[in-house]
Amino acid sequence: MRWGLVGASTIAAEHVIGALRAAGQQVSALHSGNPAHARDYAAAQGIAAVHDRLEDLLADPGIGAVYISSTNEKHRDQALAAVAAGKHVLCEKPLAMTVAEAAGMVRAAEAAGLVFATNHHLRCSGSHRAVRDLIRAGRIGRVLSLRLFHAVHLPPHLRGWRINDAGAGGGVIPDITVHDADVARFLLGEDPVAVVAQMGASGMGQGVEDSAMSVWTMPSGAMVQSHESFTHPFAGSGFEVHGAEGSIFARGVMTQLPLGEVELVTASGRAAVPFPAHNLYVQGITDFLSAVAGGGQPAATGRDGVASLAVALAVREAARTGVRQLVDYGRSA
Ligand code: NDP
């Protein structure tokens, strides 16, 4: 399939363009709001066509799908335009600025019979899939709690809109808490009901939070504790899932690369859990292509993107107000 890129972004350059090509896809065209940047970017990435207007990219009938990785406030309008033009959509997280916007994007794609996926890459990793399989197989018994550790040190080249521009969707909650929401939903197979939270701004940026801690209640009664930050150089990442009959420790697994280690601890002792080390983004695109071919769902559907956004926004609202929030998934709309 031929793809159009919407957004001349870092994530596309560092991971997704390579992943598309590794999955046998053609990256044919780029739309960016900044013509000079777009031309340099397209030349560096070997992309033949540059369109300053999104509608010109979408008018190309040979383009079957678009990958949207612009800043967050642009996702909604760009996705709706792509769907209206009959393109399948792989959209970056967070899908939009509000749950209602995100739900509208997904409903439009469903109505048009198009595949719409959210690029929540972590659920594509071998480590996360191995842990989910252990949980599903009952290896740790009834799940009691999940602790997510995702405090990173934001690299200097990403310290732009993410830490300075609320209007573009900046802040650690839409950036990383949304991923952690998706990880919890993926691992446990259920959606948080309510959250309590605190957030902080250390001065790395302006006008948005750079750290958050929250506790979520799951329908099963399991509890989830989540920590995200842009300001922690040495914290490392990972999660622990504790069950009535065992615990799983996953360290260094909240990454873009297939890294880390997983350990299962039960009454029988401790055992390393092997997992495949495939490229997370290639896996996501492979699953997307299967869905386009009629063979099932993308790794993270549009509805997953809406639900994970709903959790993240509930965390921010709980932190802002100091009041426990029920998660509003917008499912009645
Ligand atoms: P960038 O800041 O690299 O790019 C975002 C937009 O900023 C670009 O699309 C482009 O606008 C503009 N831009 C970037 N560099 C320049 C430049 N040198 N000159 C002019 N304009 C520029 O963002 P990220 O790649 O970090 O994030 C993009 C999206 O991807 C976000 O939604 C983010 O949440 C998501 N993301 C997802 C990850 C994942 O693993 N799933 C990881 C990282 C990010 P234009 O659109 O006009 O081209």
Side-chain angles (χ1 to χ4, degrees):
M1 190 157 59
R2 287 177 54 210
W3 286 69
L5 299 190
V6 180
S9 68
T10 307
I11 179 65
E14 291 184 349
H15 292 281
V16 177
I17 293 171
L20 283 166
R21 289 177 173 152
Q25 303 301 290
Q26 286 182 49
V27 181
S28 299
L30 168 71
H31 162 69
S32 167
N34 182 322
H37 173 56
R39 277 158 186 76
D40 291 348
Y41 188 100
Q45 298 298 329
I47 300 170
V50 176
H51 298 286
D52 297 340
R53 299 182 338 141
L54 177 59
E55 51 267 46
D56 293 338
L57 182 152
L58 297 175
D60 181 345
I63 290 178
V66 298
Y67 167 59
I68 298 174
S69 65
S70 51
T71 47
N72 303 333
E73 88 288 8
K74 294 180 182 164
H75 294 175
R76 190 263 308 258
D77 289 351
Q78 291 172 337
L80 289 176
V83 166
K87 313 299 184 192
H88 302 294
V89 175
L90 173 60
C91 187
E92 271 305 342
K93 44 52 65 173
L95 283 188
M97 302 292 277
T98 69
V99 174
E101 287 180 4
M105 294 154 67
V106 174
R107 276 198 307 271
E110 288 174 352
L114 296 164
V115 172
F116 188 107
T118 313
N119 201 30
H120 277 304
H121 63 292
L122 290 170
R123 62 165 67 202
C124 297
S125 72
S127 57
H128 289 234
R129 290 183 176 188
V131 172
R132 182 194 56 171
D133 291 347
L134 289 173
I135 295 169
R136 279 189 178 172
R139 295 290 299 278
I140 61 169
R142 182 168 61 87
V143 174
L144 305 173
S145 62
L146 166 64
R147 301 173 64 194
L148 298 154
F149 311 98
H150 206 157
V152 303
H153 199 225
L154 194 66
H157 71 287
L158 296 182
R159 293 183 194 174
W161 60 271
R162 248 186 200 77
I163 56 166
N164 287 313
D165 192 346
V172 78
I173 291 173
D175 201 55
I176 306 185
T177 307
V178 73
H179 273 313
D180 288 347
D182 195 69
V183 169
R185 296 180 51 256
F186 176 72
L187 294 177
L188 304 185
E190 56 180 351
D191 293 345
V193 176
V195 306
V196 295
Q198 299 273 357
M199 60 185 174
S202 70
M204 179 184 258
Q206 281 191 326
V208 295
E209 78 287 342
D210 59 32
S211 294
M213 287 189 176
S214 53
V215 176
W216 315 341
T217 310
M218 306 302 276
S220 65
M223 296 183 70
V224 178
Q225 183 188 67
S226 179
H227 177 205
E228 298 82 26
S229 181
F230 288 149
T231 66
H232 287 45
F234 306 112
S237 76
F239 59 79
E240 301 174 358
V241 200
H242 302 290
E245 295 164 30
S247 288
I248 300 165
F249 297 86
R251 301 182 191 90
V253 297
M254 305 296 235
T255 73
Q256 297 176 303
L257 300 172
L259 303 173
E261 55 196 40
V262 178
E263 188 178 37
L264 172 66
V265 183
T266 65
S268 308
R270 311 181 82 91
V273 176
F275 57 85
H278 55 248
N279 181 298
L280 284 63
Y281 296 95
V282 174
Q283 184 65 53
I285 289 158
T286 302
D287 291 352
F288 183 92
L289 295 172
S290 296
V292 169
Q297 296 285 316
T301 63
R303 286 174 178 251
D304 287 314
V306 176
S308 298
L309 174 64
V311 177
L313 293 180
V315 166
R316 190 182 252 167
E317 188 62 7
R320 188 185 72 79
T321 60
V323 176
R324 177 178 182 268
Q325 298 291 313
L326 296 176
V327 182
D328 179 2
Y329 292 98
R331 285 173 182 153
S332 55

